Amino acid sequence: MSTPAILTVDDDPAVSRAVARDLRRHYGETYRVVRAASGAEALDALRELKLRGQQVALLLADYRMPQMNGIQFLESAMDLYPQARRVLLTAYADTDAAINAINLVDVDHYLLKPWNPPEERLYPVCDELLQAWQSTPAAAAAELRVVGHRWSAHSYKLRDFLARNLVPFRWYVADDPEGARLLEAAGVTADDVPLVVTTEGKTLVQPDTATLAGNIGLTTQPASDFYDVIVIGAGPAGLGSAVYAASEGLRTVLVERRATGGQAGQSSRIENYLGFPDGVSGAQLTDRARRQALKFGAELLSAREVTALETCGSARVVHFADGTRIAAHSVVLATGVSYRMLDVPGCADLTGRGVYYGSAATEAPGCKDQEVYIVGGANSAGQAAVYFSRYASRVHILIRGEDLRRSMSRYLIDQIEAIENIDVHPFTQVERGEGEEHLERLVLTDNRTGDQTAVDASYLFIFIGAEPGTDWLDGVIDRDPHGFVLTGPDLLAGGKRPAGWPLQRDPYHLESSVPGVFAAGDVRSDSVKRVASAVGEGAMAISLVHRYLEGQ
């Protein structure tokens, strides 16, 4: 925690130096003494301290100052640091004004100038006020701070990005007192949110994720323009590839558009992963794998969107959305899948404002004592239902089929059946979402009878389908009709190699229609959609990369 500050403001240089000197002599080891020559200068200093997340314990202001007197300053300072103790420095002739100030701006004490000797007139007063402040100190914000609106899609996107990248942050609603103080300190209004204040006090107004990543310590720029292997996607398959590639001495860069872990990273509890009998959260598993890859020397580029893949002789070139590119001898496609959009009226407009794709763990505390609706019957939906049941008054799982047995692991079904506030609704689908600023209602349809029911709902979490998001590979990589990457034997239709295949050998098991480009995990056609198999394929892809490089 940073050292709390004592701020003094006096337009008389001699008095200002004297009070700062006396305060530093007695409190310099435990407090930082800040000196200002005017009320405006002092307010600027307080705003900077506020943005840096530093505490202010005591304010001492001279009563007679031009432009802004001490009372006016203390009144404005209360908006930034309401818990700081306030002292007015006055001459004997201004005693009446000082007494009035105690009632006007809740001044804690007034001191007559001169205060000599300070051991009798200054320190006892400050000691008492600082002791009172220490008993109810303001919370120091040691982490990133985000100010936004509760039902803002942009605010949600930034919070979700930070949470999934395991970046600690504190969330403030713009209308709350502390949120309003941060906005005032940054010189912006509630219309300008989301506002991000970094741990260094830098303010970012409505940043995109790439800008945010570059300002919070995430690496966004590659250290080189050429590698042995580029791994695209930092889910379980991509992390597995990065760990094995880097540990075996390959120059490795791992590129991720959103956050490490992919869909698995959003899982609140994975209980069927080998080696974790008590289960492990997706965030924990992701963090361990990420640190392992970095330990072996892999680079991790965050918030970088890949838009194209190009073959240039023996090099494989990856293009980014900002127009830059990097190249390598080989590429591993591990981009995974994303949840399919729920194509019903109202939901698209309310995405990020009550309608969410994936578990959106950042929203869990806001679900306290609310009813939560989950669409989907696979493991990810079941894990989310168990997680949200700790917060919500009731969790409703909506499935189109008869029950969960065909799509969900038995251990999860048993857990759901044992939790009293989870209800499973078979043969039920969402017909539409309704609401103005945020989701307020859902219309549900019984797909057997066609009967519709309207229910009040502020939270809908969607876990349906799997879309590989491989359109950027059009014309370069062969894919199946659903967009999944074809590899190995699946490319040998009728016993023939893919069109344009330049080598005399058949594609390796995980190799795509372009030599040296491999696919691992959920993005690969007919892969097993499990975390363990994705990690295994990621590791296997690197063994094939070695074989490919040796044959070059």
Side-chain angles (χ1 to χ4, degrees), residues 139-258:
E143 61 267 306
L144 202 74
R145 285 158 291 168
V146 181
V147 184
H149 293 305
R150 175 69 188 85
W151 298 112
S152 161
H154 194 171
S155 297
Y156 161 72
K157 183 177 181 180
L158 295 186
R159 289 188 294 131
D160 186 60
F161 176 81
L162 292 170
R164 293 183 61 186
N165 280 284
L166 307 180
V167 178
F169 71 95
R170 191 179 296 273
W171 161 248
Y172 298 98
V173 177
D175 296 335
D176 289 346
E178 186 61 21
R181 292 183 195 110
L182 284 170
L183 292 177
E184 198 277 335
V188 299
T189 70
D191 294 332
D192 299 319
V193 297
L195 168 74
V196 177
V197 183
T198 69
T199 53
E200 294 80 22
K202 183 176 182 179
T203 58
L204 307 174
V205 179
Q206 299 181 355
D208 57 27
T209 54
T211 301
L212 179 59
N215 280 275
I216 60 175
L218 298 179
T219 302
T220 59
Q221 299 298 324
S224 175
D225 57 4
F226 198 89
Y227 297 85
D228 290 321
V229 58
I230 300 170
V231 182
I232 305 174
L239 287 166
S241 288
V243 167
Y244 280 91
S247 68
E248 294 169 9
L250 296 178
R251 294 170 297 166
T252 306
V253 60
L254 177 62
V255 181
E256 173 54 46
R257 181 176 58 171
R258 292 193 179 93

Side-chain angles (χ1 to χ4, degrees), residues 93-127:
D94 298 321
T95 303
D96 289 342
I99 294 173
N100 291 334
I102 292 176
N103 297 321
L104 179 62
V105 295
D106 196 22
V107 169
D108 295 289
H109 207 283
Y110 70 90
L111 284 173
L112 293 176
K113 298 186 293 183
W115 53 84
N116 292 325
E119 291 78 10
E120 294 181 10
R121 297 187 177 182
L122 177 64
Y123 299 150
V125 171
C126 293
D127 286 345

Side-chain angles (χ1 to χ4, degrees), residues 10-69:
D10 198 307
D11 66 310
D12 186 325
V15 175
S16 179
R17 286 193 298 268
V19 67
R21 177 201 63 212
D22 289 341
L23 289 171
R24 289 194 181 101
R25 180 188 306 161
H26 194 69
Y27 303 106
E29 292 186 2
T30 52
Y31 292 90
R32 173 190 175 194
V33 178
V34 178
R35 185 160 64 98
S38 68
E41 182 181 318
L43 286 176
D44 287 342
L46 287 180
R47 291 188 185 100
E48 183 175 348
L49 292 169
K50 188 72 177 179
L51 293 176
R52 291 181 178 274
Q54 294 181 317
Q55 297 171 299
V56 174
L58 184 62
L59 302 167
L60 296 95
D62 180 52
Y63 172 63
R64 287 181 179 263
M65 292 189 295
Q67 284 82 49
M68 180 185 296
N69 64 36

Side-chain angles (χ1 to χ4, degrees), residues 368-409:
K368 184 174 176 58
D369 300 327
Q370 301 285 322
E371 296 205 11
V372 167
Y373 288 80
I374 292 176
V375 178
N379 280 6
S380 54
Q383 290 161 351
V386 172
Y387 178 69
F388 283 112
S389 69
R390 305 172 193 168
Y391 300 88
S393 61
R394 187 154 296 278
V395 177
H396 304 271
I397 302 177
L398 312 179
I399 56 174
R400 298 167 65 95
E402 182 179 0
D403 54 44
L404 298 170
R405 289 179 297 178
R406 294 187 59 185
S407 55
M408 190 177 292
S409 296

Side-chain angles (χ1 to χ4, degrees), residues 198-467:
T198 69
T199 53
E200 294 80 22
K202 183 176 182 179
T203 58
L204 307 174
V205 179
Q206 299 181 355
D208 57 27
T209 54
T211 301
L212 179 59
N215 280 275
I216 60 175
L218 298 179
T219 302
T220 59
Q221 299 298 324
S224 175
D225 57 4
F226 198 89
Y227 297 85
D228 290 321
V229 58
I230 300 170
V231 182
I232 305 174
L239 287 166
S241 288
V243 167
Y244 280 91
S247 68
E248 294 169 9
L250 296 178
R251 294 170 297 166
T252 306
V253 60
L254 177 62
V255 181
E256 173 54 46
R257 181 176 58 171
R258 292 193 179 93
T260 52
Q263 286 190 7
Q266 294 181 279
S267 297
S268 57
R269 204 74 180 165
I270 302 172
E271 298 193 49
N272 59 352
Y273 188 72
L274 186 67
F276 292 89
D278 298 322
V280 61
S281 73
Q284 289 174 318
L285 189 63
T286 294
D287 185 49
R288 293 183 182 188
R290 179 188 60 82
R291 288 189 284 114
Q292 196 172 15
L294 295 177
K295 181 189 77 170
F296 287 124
E299 288 182 40
L300 172 58
L301 302 184
S302 300
R304 297 304 302 267
E305 183 178 1
V306 177
T307 57
L309 176 65
E310 180 185 6
T311 298
C312 295
S314 62
R316 305 294 177 257
V317 181
V318 168
H319 295 259
F320 295 118
D322 64 356
T324 61
R325 63 182 188 174
I326 55 176
H329 292 301
S330 61
V331 171
V332 176
L333 301 173
T335 50
V337 294
S338 58
Y339 294 112
R340 194 174 69 245
M341 302 294 287
L342 184 62
D343 188 18
V344 299
C347 282
D349 294 337
L350 297 171
T351 298
R353 298 186 293 129
V355 176
Y356 307 98
Y357 289 85
S359 62
T362 53
E363 297 301 305
C367 296
K368 184 174 176 58
D369 300 327
Q370 301 285 322
E371 296 205 11
V372 167
Y373 288 80
I374 292 176
V375 178
N379 280 6
S380 54
Q383 290 161 351
V386 172
Y387 178 69
F388 283 112
S389 69
R390 305 172 193 168
Y391 300 88
S393 61
R394 187 154 296 278
V395 177
H396 304 271
I397 302 177
L398 312 179
I399 56 174
R400 298 167 65 95
E402 182 179 0
D403 54 44
L404 298 170
R405 289 179 297 178
R406 294 187 59 185
S407 55
M408 190 177 292
S409 296
R410 185 70 237 179
Y411 81 92
L412 269 174
I413 295 175
D414 292 341
Q415 286 186 22
I416 288 170
E417 290 176 347
I419 298 175
E420 293 184 356
N421 65 332
I422 298 181
D423 294 333
V424 179
H425 302 267
F427 306 110
T428 303
Q429 60 192 64
V430 176
E431 190 69 23
R432 65 179 179 273
E434 299 176 346
E436 297 298 328
E437 293 186 357
H438 62 91
L439 179 67
E440 298 174 12
R441 287 172 303 281
L442 290 173
V443 177
L444 308 179
T445 298
D446 186 319
N447 57 28
R448 296 166 299 182
T449 65
D451 293 340
Q452 294 187 350
T453 305
V455 295
D456 292 333
S458 296
Y459 295 93
L460 175 67
F461 299 91
I462 300 165
F463 302 82
I464 56 172
E467 294 183 335

